[in-house]
Amino acid sequence: MNWLAKINFRTVIMRLGSFSSAILLLAIIAIVLFCGYRLGNFYHGYQTQILAQQKARLDFTYQQLVQKTQRINTLEVELEVERMTNARSQQTLKLIEQEHFQVKKELAFYEKVMAPEKQANGLIIDSLNLTKTTSPGHYRFQVVLVQQLLRRRYAKGFIEVTIIGSLNDQPTSIALSDLSTVNKDDLSFSFQYFQTVSGDLTLPENFVPETINVAAILPKSRWQKYNRIDHSYPWLKSIDNITQSSP
């Protein structure tokens, strides 16, 4: 290796001459440039191929993303349409059920009036309606009385209302006269087919109602015998508007 250390550019020129040294230098430069060019082309081709593959993968991934996004959007639209359709169906079904219930209720009511052969003869308490007002503990009530056609004469009498519950955790029964300003005349009835008797009442504080009893009383007179009809209804305090019909 000592001989390699002794070689320098001046020694090469002296041994080969100026012209030969220049040719050799040009040849070395040309070889280096050619090798560098070939190596660069190879590396550039390799990089171009890698970039093309990456671009193809990216395009494929982007296309899949677009397709999946479109699919998601389509499914979301279909889901929203299904929700709207289901909501409309539920609303329609609810309306149909309400109409059906109302029709059955009206039919049952008129059957009691117009078809006495299907019911027991005489006076009946058809229904009790309670409506809660905005005032605390204040309610409006309406009692519907019905008489069958077989009874030709007018039914005359009055109703009594009693509310059973607990006051200060003690069982208590309170008459309507203690809860309302209505009098006996307000609670009187005189009809041939049906009549409603209505009024209002205010519950005392700390009173929890459980049952409301309604009695229709027909005093004895020349045209009618004494009769008393009692019916009890549960007090559904969780519902503002209550309708309980007798079976």
Side-chain angles (χ1 to χ4, degrees):
M1 296 295 294
N2 292 331
W3 64 270
L4 185 60
K6 295 179 180 180
I7 296 176
N8 53 42
F9 185 68
R10 181 176 296 178
T11 303
V12 172
I13 294 175
M14 290 177 61
R15 290 188 177 185
L16 298 179
S18 298
F19 180 76
S20 298
S21 298
I23 295 299
L24 178 61
L25 181 60
L26 291 175
I28 293 173
I29 294 174
I31 292 172
V32 171
L33 291 176
F34 178 77
C35 292
Y37 175 76
R38 295 294 296 175
L39 184 61
N41 282 344
F42 174 77
Y43 185 74
H44 178 266
Y46 177 75
Q47 291 294 329
T48 302
Q49 182 180 2
I50 295 298
L51 289 175
Q53 293 176 353
Q54 294 295 334
K55 185 176 182 302
R57 292 179 181 176
L58 182 61
D59 292 341
F60 179 73
T61 303
Y62 178 76
Q63 185 178 5
Q64 284 188 326
L65 179 61
V66 170
Q67 292 177 351
K68 292 185 181 298
T69 303
Q70 292 176 347
R71 179 59 177 167
I72 291 174
N73 293 335
T74 302
L75 291 177
E76 287 180 348
V77 171
E78 292 178 353
L79 179 60
E80 186 63 26
V81 171
E82 289 293 334
R83 287 176 179 173
M84 294 175 62
T85 303
N86 184 58
R88 286 196 295 267
S89 299
Q90 292 292 336
Q91 185 177 8
T92 302
L93 181 60
K94 185 176 181 180
L95 291 175
I96 293 175
E97 289 178 348
Q98 291 176 350
E99 292 176 357
H100 180 65
F101 174 77
Q102 188 64 27
V103 169
K104 287 183 64 178
K105 183 179 177 182
E106 293 176 357
L107 179 61
F109 175 79
Y110 286 107
E111 270 190 348
K112 293 174 184 178
V113 177
M114 304 305 295
E117 67 278 2
K118 297 184 179 180
Q119 302 289 335
N121 296 337
L123 178 71
I124 65 171
I125 302 173
D126 179 74
S127 64
L128 166 69
N129 299 327
L130 281 176
T131 304
K132 186 177 181 180
T133 67
T134 55
S135 300
H138 186 260
Y139 295 84
R140 294 188 179 92
F141 69 88
Q142 184 183 70
V143 178
V144 180
L145 303 172
V146 173
Q147 185 179 213
Q148 274 71 20
L149 283 176
L150 291 180
R151 188 180 181 94
R152 298 294 182 179
R153 300 185 183 277
Y154 277 75
K156 296 183 179 182
F158 59 92
I159 66 169
E160 290 182 352
V161 179
T162 306
I163 300 176
I164 300 174
S166 59
L167 180 62
N168 297 323
D169 297 328
Q170 296 296 325
T172 305
S173 177
I174 306 177
L176 180 64
S177 57
D178 297 328
L179 303 174
S180 175
T181 58
V182 296
N183 52 40
K184 189 173 181 179
D185 291 337
D186 298 325
L187 301 178
S188 298
F189 57 83
S190 177
F191 66 95
Q192 188 174 7
Y193 299 112
F194 64 89
Q195 182 178 333
T196 61
V197 179
S198 59
D200 55 13
L201 59 91
T202 302
L203 299 178
E205 294 183 3
N206 301 325
F207 180 74
V208 180
E210 298 175 357
T211 306
I212 179 168
N213 295 335
V214 180
I217 301 172
L218 291 85
K220 182 178 180 181
S221 68
R222 181 180 177 183
W223 305 109
Q224 69 180 13
K225 297 180 180 180
Y226 174 83
N227 196 5
R228 178 187 176 99
I229 304 167
D230 292 275
H231 196 84
S232 297
Y233 301 86
W235 186 289
L236 304 180
K237 61 181 180 180
S238 61
I239 302 176
D240 289 340
N241 195 341
I242 310 166
T243 301
Q244 294 288 330
S245 297
S246 61

